Amino acid sequence: MEKHLNIDQLNKLIKTFCEDRDWDQYHNAKDLSIGIVTEASELLQLFRFKSNLEVDNMLTDETIRTEIGEELADILFFILRFAQKYNFDLSYELNRKVEINKKRYPISEYKGSNKKNTNDK
């Protein structure tokens, strides 16, 4: 198993994995979107009702880190599968979104702040 794969390699890995199992029939835009949210909710469940100190402790516990890593991988799986099936270039999309957000959240106004820009969108 390779440790570091780029997005194209990850897409090929997911595509082959799913095609080998004949899962295309189950992977439509709606169900893949549901999968993203479901897996993100499972990640959230690990942190629900935890204090910052408890979260810090969780992140140093190898068993819990493994659980967190598995949930992150599940989320990434569904994101990559959606992008792969529907021809989204995630590198392009992320770069484009960062450029949009640079304009929406100028450093001069938002540095050190996590408030949402409600002026547009």
Side-chain angles (χ1 to χ4, degrees):
M1 174 173 48
E2 279 191 62
K3 187 172 182 178
H4 299 285
L5 301 175
N6 64 38
I7 287 180
D8 289 336
Q9 292 167 320
L10 290 170
N11 277 332
K12 288 176 187 166
L13 176 70
I14 296 302
K15 185 177 191 299
T16 300
F17 178 87
C18 293
E19 287 177 352
D20 286 349
R21 288 156 180 80
D22 192 25
W23 285 356
D24 276 351
Q25 61 188 317
Y26 308 113
H27 289 172
N28 57 63
K30 178 193 77 154
D31 289 333
L32 291 169
S33 296
I34 290 169
I36 292 167
V37 172
T38 302
E39 296 303 337
S41 294
E42 289 179 13
L43 176 64
L44 177 60
Q45 185 63 34
L46 295 173
F47 296 103
R48 189 171 184 212
F49 304 122
K50 302 288 193 260
S51 69
N52 288 338
L53 179 59
E54 289 171 312
V55 169
D56 289 344
N57 290 335
M58 290 169 61
L59 293 169
T60 61
D61 180 303
E62 284 308 310
T63 301
I64 297 172
R65 283 186 66 85
T66 298
E67 288 181 59
I68 293 167
E70 288 176 2
E71 297 306 336
L72 289 170
D74 287 341
I75 296 163
L76 183 59
F77 173 93
F78 280 102
I79 291 170
L80 289 170
R81 182 63 170 157
F82 190 109
Q84 175 260 310
K85 281 224 36 178
Y86 296 101
N87 300 312
F88 284 92
D89 179 336
L90 290 175
S91 294
Y92 169 80
E93 296 298 340
L94 183 59
N95 279 311
R96 186 178 68 79
K97 187 63 178 181
V98 167
E99 290 305 314
I100 290 169
N101 283 340
K102 282 180 181 179
K103 293 174 185 153
R104 287 186 73 210
Y105 297 97
I107 294 170
S108 62
E109 294 178 47
Y110 288 91
K111 186 170 185 173
S113 171
N114 66 351
K115 68 181 176 181
K116 181 164 178 58
N117 179 335
T118 57
N119 296 329
D120 59 6
K121 201 172 178 182

